[in-house]
Amino acid sequence: MITIAGKLITDAELNTIPLSLKRRAVLSSIATNQTMYFFPSMEDLLFEVKVRANTTQASHDLAVSGVGFADFDHSTCNQALWTLTREGGFLLKPSITPQRGIDDIFNNGRLYSFECAVAIIIIFYKATLDSIGATAFNQLFRGLYLFSWRYDEDLHLISHSGSEFLPGDCVYFNNPDFNPATPEWRGENTIVMDYDLYFGHGIGISPGADIIKSLNEERFPGARQSAYLENRITHPEYRYLG
């Protein structure tokens, strides 16, 4: 359900808004959830819809880009654009614009490998770039550094509890009985693509049951507790980006 400036918006009003099929699907998800979503203006609502749609598109594009999966000790990047730090992060070189650095990951994916949390940050940056344009993006994200859940403060990631997920949300599949020999499978950060469809770097675009099955195969011998989807949602604070 959606309210704008304190007014509940009807389905008839939403249906008059011209949108692409991908953005229409995001808007429909917001409108049909039982959670009440509050927006100061129609522009704020449509901007969030755009970023969320671009987040699912960036997830798909990363899935087919050729990037590899690796832990921090074995991360790789295009070192013509990025400096690979000792901890396995990517620091953008001063002569390279943030827009060029992010786009290169999608255009030259074979040169890159990283773990799932880095993938989520890259997706959020790409969705933001495609939503606000190169000029604004380059101004906001100077000195770009990609490493786990460290991110430029202007991205304003926020987390909250919830079980009604929207396309573009990041949600986490926890694997409490993961095998200590493969700690990278202690869980999987994913982007919600659609109802019960998620993108996880290293797993691909899959239903939740398939992600849980993949994680369960990475538990220690004799493990009894199944992997599960947490009721925790992370996404950018869209009003700051707009």
Side-chain angles (χ1 to χ4, degrees):
M1 295 184 286
I2 298 171
T3 66
I4 296 178
K7 178 180 179 291
L8 184 65
I9 305 302
T10 66
D11 290 342
E13 291 173 291
L14 294 175
N15 289 337
T16 64
I17 303 172
L19 293 171
S20 67
L21 289 177
K22 186 177 288 289
R23 294 187 191 182
R24 174 66 61 188
V26 173
L27 180 61
S28 177
S29 293
I30 298 173
T32 56
N33 273 3
Q34 293 303 304
T35 301
M36 184 70 74
Y37 298 94
F38 301 91
F39 297 90
S41 68
M42 181 63 74
E43 290 74 19
D44 289 297
L45 167 62
L46 295 182
F47 180 74
E48 179 169 330
V49 166
K50 176 168 69 171
V51 181
R52 286 183 176 278
N54 284 340
T55 301
T56 62
Q57 184 62 53
S59 301
H60 173 270
D61 292 344
L62 193 68
V64 300
S65 67
V67 299
F69 181 88
D71 59 23
F72 290 112
D73 291 336
H74 300 93
S75 295
T76 61
C77 61
N78 183 354
Q79 297 194 49
L81 278 63
W82 302 86
T83 298
L84 181 63
T85 66
R86 287 185 178 182
E87 56 193 355
F90 307 155
L91 178 63
L92 190 66
K93 294 189 173 181
S95 61
I96 306 301
T97 64
Q99 170 265 320
R100 183 183 171 195
I102 292 298
D103 279 343
D104 189 69
I105 298 172
F106 291 81
N107 296 331
N108 293 299
R110 69 191 184 282
L111 301 178
Y112 294 85
S113 56
F114 39 79
E115 59 93 64
C116 65
V118 179
I120 299 300
I121 297 301
I122 290 169
I123 288 168
F124 281 147
Y125 275 127
K126 176 61 172 169
T128 301
L129 168 61
D130 291 344
S131 299
I132 67 176
T135 300
F137 186 83
N138 289 337
Q139 291 174 344
L140 279 175
F141 301 112
R142 295 171 183 168
L144 198 60
Y145 180 55
L146 307 176
F147 178 67
S148 188
W149 284 109
R150 298 184 190 178
Y151 55 88
D152 191 298
E153 64 182 6
D154 290 318
L155 195 55
H156 286 275
L157 291 187
I158 57 175
S159 295
H160 56 89
S161 298
S163 58
E164 286 196 307
F165 307 142
L166 296 174
D169 282 338
C170 172
V171 296
Y172 186 67
F173 288 82
N174 191 14
N175 190 19
D177 284 353
F178 70 94
N179 191 330
T182 53
E184 62 271 22
W185 295 111
R186 69 177 63 238
E188 183 75 10
N189 293 285
T190 68
I191 293 292
V192 178
M193 303 292 286
D194 202 343
Y195 176 74
D196 195 34
L197 194 64
Y198 309 85
F199 166 72
H201 180 52
I203 290 180
I205 298 174
S206 302
D210 288 354
I211 295 176
I212 289 173
K213 180 181 178 182
S214 295
L215 290 174
N216 283 344
E217 292 172 354
E218 303 296 337
R219 292 178 296 173
F220 61 77
R224 294 175 179 240
Q225 185 171 358
S226 173
Y228 63 92
L229 176 58
E230 292 187 344
N231 288 335
R232 194 76 181 162
I233 300 168
T234 300
H235 55 74
E237 195 162 5
Y238 300 104
R239 293 172 201 173
Y240 282 98
L241 297 178

